[in-house]
Every structure is written in C-alpha cells, then in structure tokens.
Amino acid sequence: MSAPRMEVHAFGLRFANPVLTASGTFGYGSELAGSCPLTALGGLVTKGISLAPRAGNPEPRICETAAGMLNSIGLANVGLRAFLEEKLPFLRDCGTRVLVNFFGETEDDYLRCAEGLSGHGPGIDGLELNISCPNVKAGGLEFGVVPEVAGRLCERVRGATDLPLVVKLTPNVTDVVALARACVQGGASGLSLINTLRGMAIDARTRRPRLARVFGGLSGPAIKPVALRLVHEVARARLGVPIIGIGGIMSGEDAAEFLLAGATLVQVGTASFVRPDAAARVAEELLGYCAAQQVSDVSELTGALA
Ligand code: SIN
C-alpha cells in the first residue's frame, strides 16, 4: 500500500495533516520553532490575542496534577498591535497553517480584534474565537455558556471578518450541543472543543490553594474521556461544520480516537509542555497508525466509530 494520505480540508483550507498545536501551549510559533519542526504540523494556533496587551493573573498560575495540569494564566499576551508588528512577520513564512486565537472583554472588543486581525494576507489563515477561558473576570466564559449570547457574538464577529471563524467551546456547560448549534447558526465555520475544565488544587501541608487565583482550568490526559464524549455529542448532532478535537492528546492513537469520535482536525496542548515537539510526534504516529490500520486516507477516520 502507498503511504496514507494525511492531507485534510476544512473551513476552505488545506492542512498538510490533521494535527495542530493548541492555543496557549505553543506561544506565537517562533518560540518553539527550533524544537518542533513546524512543517511537520497541520497547523498552529497562537496564544490568545486581545486589543490591548495583558500581563495575566498573579503567580503561581500553573501547577501539575494527576495526569494533567491546572492553569490560570489569565490570557497574558502582547496585544493586537505588537502581534501584528512583531509576531506576524515570522508566521507569514512559517511553513504551516496559522489560526489566531483571540478574545475580548466586551462584544465590541471581540469585533475590533477580529477586524484588526483581518486583511493581512498570508500569516493568518483563520481565527479561533475564544469564548471559553475560565480564568478571567470579563470576557471568556461570560460569552461561552449561554447559547443565545454565544450565537449573537458569533453573528457579530462573522460580520467583521472574511477569515474562517472557528469557535472554541467550553466543557463547563450542561448542553454543549445547544451551544455548538447557536455558534453555527451565528456563522461559525468550525468548532474546537474542549477548552479546560474548571478545577482547583490544594497543598495540604500549607493548607493553601496551589494557584494564586484558587481556580484554574484542568487539561491533559485526565480530561481526554470528557473531551471525547463532548466531541462525539457535537459530531452526532451533524451541525455541518468541521470539529477540532482537543483534550489530553499525547499520541497518534489519541489523535485517531478524536477523529473516530467525529473530529476532522485535532490540537495538541499540554503534551507540548512535556516535550516541545509533541505535536510533530503525534502527527508522525498518526501516519504510522493509518499505515498499520490500512487507512489510505486519514479523512476516512472522521466519525468512523463503529
Ligand atoms: C488562560 O490564559 O488563562 C487560558 C486560556 C484559555 O483557557 O482559553
């Protein structure tokens, strides 16, 4: 058998393979390019960008947990202007697809940020609308738990940009399908799920929370079964847009599981903290899985759960 075809198409874009890096785990691309060959990836998703720079939450804002980690970064980033001036030039010629994650504290912030990220040509292939960060007072989850609110924001942002618009969903809701449907009705080109699960960690010896802000978002292999279930629920609803599966992917087989559950693409996040080249290794392992399973085209896996 010839080598499996790994290329996939989604949101009007061609991806060399289905494996992307997740926002907040791979900087703006340039920081990890020396450790992870970007051309081996299907794409990368940048750190979340806001109109103004943000310092994020007080430290400690990361801690390790059983089979995962908690973060309460608070969406620290360089802001739109510095992103365009200092980070975008590298991304223009980085050899892989780039989705820019972005967010706002108000609806108007989201709109202005989407507008500001549009019309720059190569370097920004699509946007990932973040309505699922559990670590900020304004914005984030405020827009991501009530379907009507999320749908209205998507509709307004859709009108502000011609770029593919993927909406990143939270698992911290009772009905993820209602939320997903509202986003698609609002014009989302795709859905990425899941963002982190709200959690906390305590140091029993000091009797103090391990994170300065007490609560954070749980990621890593500990959340993979939850993520698979939510991806599968949304896929079964057949909303007509591609899904990007995220949640504890450490290996090619993990990635295959998300594809079987209904995802077209996947993102690797926490694994990049263990090994900066984790996403490239996942892509290579997924190719090996396809060859071993006699899958001639990786797209065949999407939704192929028996
Ligand atoms: C953070 O910056 O606090 C995490 C980002 C996110 O959960 O979207």
Side-chain angles (χ1 to χ4, degrees):
M1 190 180 113
S2 54
R5 184 181 151 92
M6 297 306 284
E7 186 179 301
V8 288
H9 293 260
F11 337 117
L13 302 172
R14 174 197 163 276
F15 294 81
N17 66 61
V19 182
L20 287 69
T21 59
S23 177
T25 63
F26 208 74
Y28 304 97
S30 55
E31 300 90 331
L32 287 151
S35 315
C36 179
L38 301 189
T39 51
L41 304 176
L44 67 89
V45 186
T46 68
K47 225 172 150 30
I49 304 296
S50 50
L51 281 177
R54 289 171 63 103
N57 291 334
E59 294 181 349
R61 54 191 192 182
I62 284 189
C63 75
E64 202 169 332
T65 59
M69 64 180 267
L70 279 165
N71 92 79
S72 171
I73 303 296
L75 295 168
N77 78 99
V78 297
L80 177 63
R81 190 162 157 193
F83 173 75
L84 295 176
E85 287 175 9
E86 296 161 23
K87 310 295 180 188
L88 183 56
F90 170 83
L91 295 171
R92 284 210 170 97
D93 200 19
C94 72
T96 194
R97 289 286 180 211
V98 177
L99 302 185
V100 177
N101 183 290
F102 75 104
F103 65 95
E105 293 191 1
T106 65
E107 269 193 22
D108 284 346
D109 279 0
Y110 274 99
L111 252 66
R112 286 171 57 207
C113 208
E115 278 167 4
L117 289 165
S118 304
H120 297 280
I124 304 180
D125 297 304
L127 302 180
E128 184 176 68
L129 174 72
N130 188 348
I131 52 170
S132 46
C133 175
N135 304 324
V136 286
K137 277 200 202 106
L141 273 184
E142 192 185 338
F143 291 99
V145 289
V146 177
E148 293 73 22
V149 174
R152 179 190 139 99
L153 179 67
C154 290
E155 202 173 322
R156 290 196 67 201
V157 173
R158 182 64 289 173
T161 177
D162 289 333
L163 288 166
L165 183 67
V166 177
V167 183
K168 186 165 182 178
L169 301 180
T170 180
N172 302 299
V173 287
T174 40
D175 187 353
V176 76
V177 173
L179 187 62
R181 183 173 284 116
C183 293
V184 173
Q185 284 169 352
S189 325
L191 301 165
S192 49
L193 62 154
I194 60 174
N195 204 327
T196 53
L197 280 155
R198 294 195 85 201
M200 72 181 285
I202 295 172
D203 182 334
R205 270 166 292 179
T206 62
R207 302 187 177 197
R208 297 176 65 83
R210 288 192 187 270
L211 296 174
R213 216 165 162 266
V214 184
F215 301 134
L218 181 66
S219 62
I223 72 166
K224 194 181 80 170
V226 177
L228 281 171
R229 191 261 297 176
L230 291 170
V231 165
H232 193 49
E233 275 189 27
V234 172
R236 274 196 321 203
R238 298 190 188 287
L239 300 176
V241 299
I243 295 170
I244 306 180
I246 319 165
I249 295 175
M250 305 294 282
S251 69
E253 283 204 17
D254 289 340
E257 290 173 25
F258 276 89
L259 301 181
L260 291 167
T264 298
L265 299 162
V266 298
Q267 291 177 13
V268 172
T270 302
S272 296
F273 290 99
V274 181
R275 293 186 59 118
D277 64 346
R281 288 167 65 96
V282 167
E284 198 182 316
E285 288 173 16
L286 183 59
L287 171 70
Y289 165 88
C290 288
Q293 294 283 317
Q294 300 190 323
V295 171
S296 59
D297 184 334
V298 71
S299 304
E300 289 167 26
L301 293 175
T302 294
L305 187 68

